[in-house]
Amino acid sequence: MTIPKTFHIKSFGCQMNVYDGARMAELLESEGMAAAQSGEADLVVLNTCHIRERAAEKVYSDIGRLKRDDGSRPMIAVAGCVAQAEGAEIPRRAPSVDIVVGPQAYHRLPELIAEAGGGGRGLDMALAAETKFGALPPRRRQGPSAFLTVQEGCDKFCTYCVVPYTRGAEISRGWSAIVDEAKALIDMGAREITLLGQNVNAWRGEDPAGRAQGLDGLIRALDVLPGLERIRYTTSHPADMTDGLIEAHRDVAKLMPFLHLPVQSGNDRILKAMNRSHSNASYRAIIDRARDARPDIAISGDFIVGFPGESDAEFEDTLKIIEAVNYAQAYSFKYSPRPGTPAAAMDEQVAPTLMDERLQRLQALIERQQYAFNQASVGLRTQILIERQGRKPGQKLGKSPWLQSVHVTTEAPIGAIVDIEIASAGPHSLGGAELIQAAA
Ligand code: 5AD
Ligand code: SF4
């Protein structure tokens, strides 16, 4: 197989995979390769997700589809969490796979490509993240809203979750590496930075003066960077929601009023069986503190229905906590047994039809709350960050501080922050009218 000149990266799953996909693209470009459409690329990277369902099965069917009409195929790399979890099993089942590279080893892609080009197979499932970041080329232009991974891995071991196995132990990137990357992103036009981590609020580090810092310290350091207008972070764990981070929502104007804080279930017995280290009451207390600090903060969550043994009454507790918290948006999933996790071996797996029913009820409730949240925004004067062109001529799509998508007709370029009045609300987006400032 010849060394590829063009590549295509397909990322599945979470925002951290989107970030990894962007960094892989930068790496391959720095090696002289050019991005191409999937049908035309010499190298296709499937950057996979293992969190739910038969993600691995999907990877195998995607691999099959990469064969071209003339019977040839591109060089194929499987990256991401399925690569980490399945490793050498992947080429055993799908011999056309040339490269398997885990989420902490993709800085070695050029060497693995050379090995595959030489007729070998490139495999790397090492789990040492700090090496990776140090070995990657500088950031390239990413658009007005950029992701920045500051923390990886997870030590929480929720009993349903594969992440501690696929992404490894919690590690925090160093302070100056993060601040330097933020500055580079801002120089290239980023006006919003979303700090990413599987447990982003577990980030711990030292500032240049040697003082111990948490995520709030990092947010305050980014706050003073000229050119940066908005800061976000995701995903957080309730156990790491410190007073300092909550106070940052009160004090740091650039920190957007949005908190994605998964609760998973509203029932204490299920939360315990999930090994969630928080209760219904302790979660609600955090939400109350966040709202005291920043009354307009929008709350987002993750929910799992049908965890093993979940009774009707226990599921009702999840609906009750949703009613009580009142979410601006949320993600919800049917429990999916993941190989190797404790919950997969538990008795009393819930019947799929019952899970479907519960998911529908939960999603209908979230949908109502999200629509109500959007409707309550009508008439507000606020700002949006223009992220891209809309579908209609002259129309642009921006994001409100509360992460709502807003359509607006404006001459303002992508990357501009525009004063608007929210004019209309749908269940999933808003319409806005630009407020033109009178010339002074
Ligand atoms: N089944 C269903 N949902 C899951 N999640 C994680 N693992 C599983 C699983 N095995 C959900 C959780 C988590 C989100 C990223 O994915 O809600 O917060
Ligand atoms: Fe998975 Fe729990 Fe860690 Fe989140 S906190 S990544 S759900 S183990």
Side-chain angles (χ1 to χ4, degrees), residues 380-424:
L380 270 184
R381 293 183 166 203
T382 184
Q383 292 188 318
I384 57 170
L385 170 60
I386 307 285
E387 292 187 0
R388 54 187 170 88
Q389 302 287 345
R391 254 182 249 130
K392 298 189 197 128
Q395 195 189 56
K396 306 252 172 46
L397 201 67
K399 288 275 165 60
S400 79
W402 306 278
L403 209 61
Q404 298 146 298
S405 292
V406 186
H407 298 272
V408 58
T409 302
T410 174
E411 297 295 314
I414 292 179
I417 290 182
V418 176
D419 291 308
I420 60 148
E421 180 169 315
I422 311 272
S424 62

Side-chain angles (χ1 to χ4, degrees), residues 307-324:
F307 183 82
E310 184 188 67
S311 69
D312 286 339
E314 286 165 342
F315 168 66
E316 296 292 334
D317 286 344
T318 302
L319 296 181
K320 281 185 205 145
I321 200 171
I322 295 173
E323 293 278 9

Side-chain angles (χ1 to χ4, degrees), residues 146-162:
F147 289 145
L148 201 178
T149 293
V150 302
Q151 182 282 337
E152 286 197 275
C154 182
D155 296 339
K156 304 288 191 291
F157 288 94
C158 299
T159 54
Y160 50 81
C161 186
V162 282

Side-chain angles (χ1 to χ4, degrees), residues 51-52 160-162 262 264 302-304 333-338:
I51 196 125
R52 279 176 299 273
Y160 50 81
C161 186
V162 282
Q264 316 296 0
D302 287 348
F303 301 91
I304 296 177
F333 314 99
K334 286 185 271 186
Y335 166 72
S336 158
R338 309 310 298 132

